[in-house]
Amino acid sequence: MDHSGHGMMTDLPPFTLGRGLAWSADPFFLVACLLGLALYGWGVLRLTRRGDKWPVGRTVSFGVGVLSVALMMCTRLNDYGMVMFSVHMVQHMIISMVSPILLLLGAPITLALRALPPAGRGRRGPRELLLMLLHSRYMRIITHPAFTIPLFIASLYALYFTPLFDFLMGSSAGHIAMMVHFLAVGVVFFWPIMGVDPGPHRPGYLMRMLELFAGMPFHAFFGIALMMASAPMVGTFENPPASLGIDALSDQNAAGGIAWAFSEVPSVLVLLALLFQWYASEERRARRSDRAAERDGDRELAEYNAYLASLNARG
């Protein structure tokens, strides 16, 4: 395929979904996706062989999350995304807001901690290094809302509205780095909010919802800015190849609509997941309370009744 100086594909036919979904693998992401699936599968197999259970839903969620990355980066959507703002925005939104949610619901860190063997007294193996990372100051900083929310916002405004985006799109390495950045930003933003894995910051459910909605209005404003612009705002997409038969401004408006829509859809999905986790947490707490009551003959209730009786006697 022919590339111009900015990595653009100059001979692409007009976009259709069928053409976009045709196989065209990026080697980096293909290897990364296969490695991710292999490592996760190894962990599940190791637990199964020793008689431990691992929820099927987590495995499915992680697998779909990896496949969503592969769908964006190992098909011709990636080729079209180099020259069409709208297709690029689909890539960005999926990789930064859908894939991270699915990967996090797969609880890969919990799986690793359960599957990796301890290194032994006084030694450090992969499991110990992972625990050190989880408890490190670095991890506390990058998962704190004061860091994750501004980073989530800056990944839109500071990238697209400065020359940085054009610079990164000018090379294959820059494009890969940008997509990895999108995925990483999504993971660190959603991890404290709805991740199943242990982490340095795990606020209450109400605070998690506030964190979720703190960043979403800026996402919507970004989409609206693109939709209302009267001229192309990103140099990379100013002059799309004639073979595509598209208008740069119309394509930018479509990209803005996609960004605006994605500020709503993942928010609803995460909110539903949070509500389900909250409900499940309350159910577990109630069961623990019931078991404690059975063990001690409901001592707490008996003591409370005795307290009320003493108050009545004083009266």
Side-chain angles (χ1 to χ4, degrees):
M1 183 164 289
D2 184 30
H3 294 247
S4 72
H6 281 280
M8 286 190 170
M9 315 299 176
T10 59
D11 59 350
L12 288 171
F15 178 81
T16 64
L17 186 58
R19 288 169 181 162
L21 294 178
W23 180 256
S24 179
D26 177 280
F28 175 86
F29 280 97
L30 178 61
V31 171
C33 288
L34 291 175
L35 184 61
L37 289 174
L39 289 173
Y40 195 93
W42 171 84
V44 173
L45 186 61
R46 184 174 173 84
L47 261 61
T48 303
R49 283 180 172 173
R50 74 181 186 208
D52 292 341
K53 291 183 178 180
W54 183 253
V56 175
R58 290 184 181 179
T59 303
V60 171
S61 180
F62 186 85
V64 174
V66 172
L67 291 176
S68 69
V69 174
L71 182 67
M72 294 298 106
M73 301 307 301
C74 294
T75 65
R76 296 197 83 185
L77 288 174
N78 194 36
D79 298 336
Y80 279 99
M82 297 295 290
V83 289
M84 292 182 64
F85 203 173
S86 57
V87 178
H88 167 83
M89 193 57 67
V90 171
Q91 285 183 285
H92 180 169
M93 294 298 106
I94 294 292
I95 284 181
S96 67
M97 299 187 71
V98 176
S99 302
I101 293 170
L102 293 168
L103 294 173
L104 288 167
L105 288 175
I109 294 175
T110 300
L111 177 63
L113 291 174
R114 290 182 60 183
L116 289 169
R121 185 182 296 273
R123 291 161 52 186
R124 289 180 182 174
R127 188 176 188 277
E128 287 71 27
L129 292 174
L130 179 58
L131 282 170
M132 285 176 59
L133 178 62
L134 285 174
H135 293 101
S136 67
R137 181 180 297 178
Y138 167 78
M139 195 61 70
R140 286 198 299 272
I141 292 172
I142 70 164
T143 58
H144 194 280
F147 180 85
T148 60
I149 295 173
L151 179 66
F152 190 71
I153 297 167
S155 291
L156 291 171
Y157 295 90
L159 181 65
Y160 288 97
F161 297 159
T162 70
L164 180 59
F165 182 83
D166 294 329
F167 171 76
L168 292 173
M169 289 290 281
S171 69
S172 177
H175 185 238
I176 289 171
M178 180 169 55
M179 290 299 174
V180 171
H181 170 77
F182 290 155
L183 182 63
V185 168
V187 167
V188 297
F189 178 75
F190 287 112
W191 181 10
I193 294 173
M194 45 71 65
V196 182
D197 287 321
H201 292 282
R202 195 48 55 92
Y205 286 99
L206 186 59
M207 186 58 66
R208 294 191 208 180
M209 293 178 189
L210 292 175
E211 287 180 26
L212 171 65
F213 289 112
M216 292 307 155
F218 296 95
H219 225 279
F221 296 153
F222 170 76
I224 292 170
L226 292 178
M227 291 169 69
M228 297 184 66
S230 57
M233 300 177 69
V234 179
T236 298
F237 303 114
E238 274 184 347
N239 300 296
S243 63
L244 291 173
I246 62 170
D247 172 67
L249 185 57
S250 298
D251 190 51
Q252 177 176 281
N253 292 342
I258 290 164
W260 175 79
F262 267 91
S263 69
E264 304 297 329
V265 175
S267 301
V268 173
L269 294 176
V270 173
L271 185 60
L272 290 174
L274 274 176
L275 290 173
F276 178 79
Q277 290 176 8
W278 196 351
Y279 173 77
S281 174
E282 291 299 317
E283 284 285 298
R284 288 193 297 270
R285 184 180 300 176
R287 286 197 295 270
R288 284 196 299 269
S289 178
D290 290 344
R291 286 195 296 269
E294 289 174 3
R295 286 195 302 270
D296 58 22
D298 224 344
R299 185 179 60 191
E300 185 178 346
L301 180 61
E303 289 175 351
Y304 181 68
N305 287 334
Y307 170 70
L308 292 179
S310 69
L311 291 178
N312 189 47
R314 290 175 196 170

